[in-house]
């Protein structure tokens, strides 16, 4: 059984912390480890790390992946999730109330300008939410998104915010439908302080698809790349007793997909959970996830069910804020 908690609506962060008068690194930080649960602010992250610990960060940048479209004369929104190897895209059709589940193979939607997309087939057998689609645009799809798209947002965020609010300090390679948000509280000055104190950093890339809104829905296959230098640094840190800490569930999934078997890049459909515990990652910096989200199983795979349950019980009691603009946790299993 996964962890259980009730999330009041008012604990969903509806605006970026900057709009609440906070710097990025002034969001709250909940630290949970076998020694207990501690409450602090993210700028004090270094107090809970040791020289020689390794933070592995995702350098994927966020795309403006939500685009207005016309479907049968009616307005809808298309979320561009994942670019596939054959040039098609995985997309989601949405109305204000949520996903549209009545897509049909061969259906054509009009996009801004002279662009269009055609639904080809469900992205996976039995899936009525995500579709593989052929996209017709002038130039590249990412260029089209830059001109016509906006960041994906859900009902708890009532207004649109600039794309810059959805980028992390580590973002270098655009490709994620939604922000790898665990890294959002990092600032250049905080990274400098951590490096000065002996904390190590290593990059990887995992391009995230759209969120999985259904209870228990597994994560989609995602494209990742772990550089050889990052793999070598992970091995070096572990051999010397340091901790490997993934910044986000995306970084944890990529690391566990690549190591220790040495698969450096490709597509991962790995689902971490009780049947597949983490083998490389000793801890994780992560936002707070909705009840029954598949991300919670990944957290359990890293830190154990009891520790994650204690962390979430404390977060609800202390009224931490959830989702991409909310507060953050550091879960350490050792």
């Amino acid at each position: 059984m996964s962890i259980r908690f009730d999330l009041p609506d008012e604990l969903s962060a509806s605006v970026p912390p900057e709009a609440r008068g906070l710097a990025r690194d002034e969001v709250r930080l909940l630290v949970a480890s076998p020694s207990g649960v501690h409450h602090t602010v993210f700028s004090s992250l270094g107090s809970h790390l040791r020289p020689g610990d390794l933070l592995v960060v995702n350098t994927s940048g966020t795309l403006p992946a939500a685009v207005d479209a016309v479907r049968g004369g009616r307005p809808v929104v298309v979320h561009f999730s994942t670019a596939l190897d054959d040039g098609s895209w995985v997309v989601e059709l949405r109305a204000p109330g949520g996903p549209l589940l009545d897509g049909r193979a061969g259906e054509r939607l009009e996009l801004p300008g002279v662009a269009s997309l055609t639904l080809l087939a469900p992205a996976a057998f039995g899936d009525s939410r995500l579709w593989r689609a052929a996209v017709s645009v002038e130039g590249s799809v990412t260029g089209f998104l830059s001109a016509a798209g906006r960041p994906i947002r859900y009902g708890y965020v009532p207004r649109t915010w600039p794309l810059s609010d959805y980028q992390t300090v580590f973002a270098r390679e655009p490709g994620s439908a939604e922000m790898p948000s665990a890294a959002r509280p990092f600032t250049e000055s905080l990274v400098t302080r951590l490096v000065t104190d002996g904390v190590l950093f290593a990059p990887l890339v995992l391009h995230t698809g759209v969120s999985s809104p259904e209870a228990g829905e597994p994560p989609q296959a995602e494209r990742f790349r772990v550089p050889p230098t990052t793999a070598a640094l992970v091995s070096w840190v572990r051999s010397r007793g340091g901790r490997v800490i993934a910044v986000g569930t995306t970084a944890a999934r990529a690391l566990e997909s690549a190591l220790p078997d040495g698969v450096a890049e490709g597509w991962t459909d790995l689902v971490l959970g009780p049947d597949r515990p983490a083998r490389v990652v000793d801890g994780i910096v992560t936002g707070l996830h909705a009840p029954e989200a598949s991300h919670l199983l990944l957290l359990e795979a890293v830190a154990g069910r009891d520790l994650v349950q204690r962390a979430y019980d404390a977060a609800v009691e202390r009224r931490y804020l959830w989702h991409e603009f909310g507060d953050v946790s550091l879960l350490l299993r050792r």
Side-chain angles (χ1 to χ4, degrees):
M1 179 183 294
S2 185
I3 69 169
R4 293 288 184 265
F5 62 96
D6 293 322
L7 179 62
D9 290 343
E10 64 268 20
L11 296 189
S12 294
S14 60
V15 299
E18 297 92 318
R20 306 195 303 268
L22 301 175
R24 284 196 176 211
D25 61 4
E26 289 179 333
V27 297
R28 285 180 289 177
L29 174 67
L30 184 152
V31 182
S33 70
S35 65
V37 176
H38 306 278
H39 304 279
T40 182
V41 294
F42 195 80
S43 58
S44 297
L45 175 65
S47 300
H48 302 276
L49 302 176
R50 302 192 293 254
D53 284 345
L54 175 64
L55 294 176
V56 181
V57 300
N58 186 0
T59 60
S60 178
T62 309
L63 295 170
V67 178
D68 292 324
V70 177
R71 181 193 190 206
R74 296 184 177 181
V76 298
V77 174
V78 177
H79 287 179
F80 284 72
S81 177
T82 305
L84 301 178
D85 292 338
D86 64 358
S88 64
W89 280 71
V90 174
V91 301
E92 178 188 35
L93 309 185
R94 293 186 70 92
L100 295 170
L101 306 179
D102 59 348
R104 305 180 309 277
E107 184 177 4
R108 184 177 182 274
L109 284 77
E110 298 173 18
L111 300 175
V114 296
S116 65
L117 68 80
T118 303
L119 301 184
L120 300 176
F125 179 77
D127 185 2
S128 59
R129 182 173 72 95
L130 300 176
W131 282 78
R132 186 168 60 85
V135 184
S136 175
V137 298
E138 293 184 358
S140 69
V141 174
T142 54
F144 166 76
L145 294 177
S146 295
R150 59 185 179 276
I152 289 175
R153 64 181 173 91
Y154 296 106
Y156 54 83
V157 179
R159 55 153 285 190
T160 299
W161 294 92
L163 183 62
S164 58
D165 284 328
Y166 292 85
Q167 302 292 9
T168 75
V169 71
F170 304 110
R172 292 295 182 273
E173 183 177 327
S176 284
E178 299 182 15
M179 173 175 53
S181 56
R184 191 184 192 279
F186 282 90
T187 62
E188 292 181 2
S189 60
L190 176 57
V191 172
T192 299
R193 292 201 306 273
L194 292 172
V195 170
T196 301
D197 291 339
V199 175
L200 306 172
F201 284 80
L204 54 72
V205 175
L206 184 141
H207 293 313
T208 69
V210 297
S211 297
S212 300
E214 305 298 330
E217 186 179 48
Q220 310 159 47
E222 294 170 315
R223 192 192 305 271
F224 78 98
R225 183 174 71 253
V226 177
T229 50
T230 293
L233 190 53
V234 167
S235 298
W236 183 85
V237 166
R238 290 179 60 83
S239 71
R240 284 157 175 76
R243 296 175 297 187
V244 176
I245 300 169
V247 177
T249 56
T250 60
R253 191 185 198 197
L255 274 179
E256 294 290 336
S257 298
L259 304 172
D261 300 325
V263 179
E265 64 181 300
W267 291 87
T268 177
D269 57 4
L270 175 66
V271 178
L272 291 169
D275 297 331
R276 171 49 167 96
R279 300 168 183 167
V280 178
V281 176
D282 302 303
I284 186 168
V285 175
T286 179
L288 295 163
H289 302 286
E292 300 186 8
S294 61
H295 300 83
L296 296 174
L297 292 175
L298 186 151
L299 302 186
E300 291 181 37
V302 172
R305 181 186 183 278
D306 291 344
L307 190 147
V308 177
Q309 184 71 64
R310 290 200 306 273
Y312 273 72
D313 288 344
V316 172
E317 179 183 0
R318 294 291 189 104
R319 300 186 66 78
Y320 278 63
L321 295 181
W322 255 249
H323 303 304
E324 66 269 26
F325 292 144
D327 298 314
V328 185
S329 63
L330 169 62
L331 308 178
L332 298 167
R333 69 182 181 190
R334 68 179 179 95

